[in-house]
Amino acid sequence: MHFSTLLLTAFAATAAYACTSCPHPGTFSGNIAGYPSATENYCGVTLTSSQVGASISNSFLDPPDESPCGEAITVTLTSDGKTTQAIVVNFGNSLSVGDVNLTTNGLAALAPDSDPNHGTGPGSWTFN
């Protein structure tokens, strides 16, 4: 009985860390900036007014069958440790692999004072 419980616990722990739905596992570090044009939506994803849109490097389109369009990501601003959830809706040619651009409401969520102008800077993000 103890062995089966231990085996089940080990399996659950493995399953919790396995990112089977993530197109690109890992944590990416770079700069968080404003989304230059919220109307640009390569993925065709419809966001509600409360959802945050994200644009990431177009390197995530390779291979094309693992496109992260519509995938959820968690973004953390290094300076204050605040996080927000975003949906990948676009890709940028000028973005480095770890860079992410967020819509205004995403920058406001990261800012210590809710001012989107203060929600930019070094940060990290990961696919959920």
Side-chain angles (χ1 to χ4, degrees), residues 16-126:
Y17 291 107
C19 189
T20 58
S21 65
C22 293
H24 303 275
T27 300
F28 306 95
S29 297
N31 290 310
I32 300 170
Y35 198 169
S37 174
T39 59
E40 291 180 25
N41 189 333
Y42 171 88
C43 297
V45 174
T46 302
L47 298 174
T48 66
S49 60
S50 64
Q51 289 179 309
V52 175
S55 181
I56 60 177
S57 170
N58 65 354
S59 66
F60 288 99
L61 291 172
D62 186 27
D65 62 336
E66 293 183 3
S67 169
C69 278
E71 292 285 333
I73 63 174
T74 299
V75 182
T76 304
L77 185 63
T78 302
S79 63
D80 64 4
K82 290 182 80 174
T83 64
T84 192
Q85 303 290 311
I87 307 291
V88 175
V89 297
N90 204 43
F91 302 91
N93 291 331
S94 64
L95 295 174
S96 296
V97 171
D99 292 347
V100 60
N101 289 345
L102 300 177
T103 51
T104 304
N105 57 342
L107 296 177
L110 292 176
D113 58 0
S114 299
D115 180 343
N117 295 316
H118 301 151
T120 62
S124 61
W125 61 275
T126 186

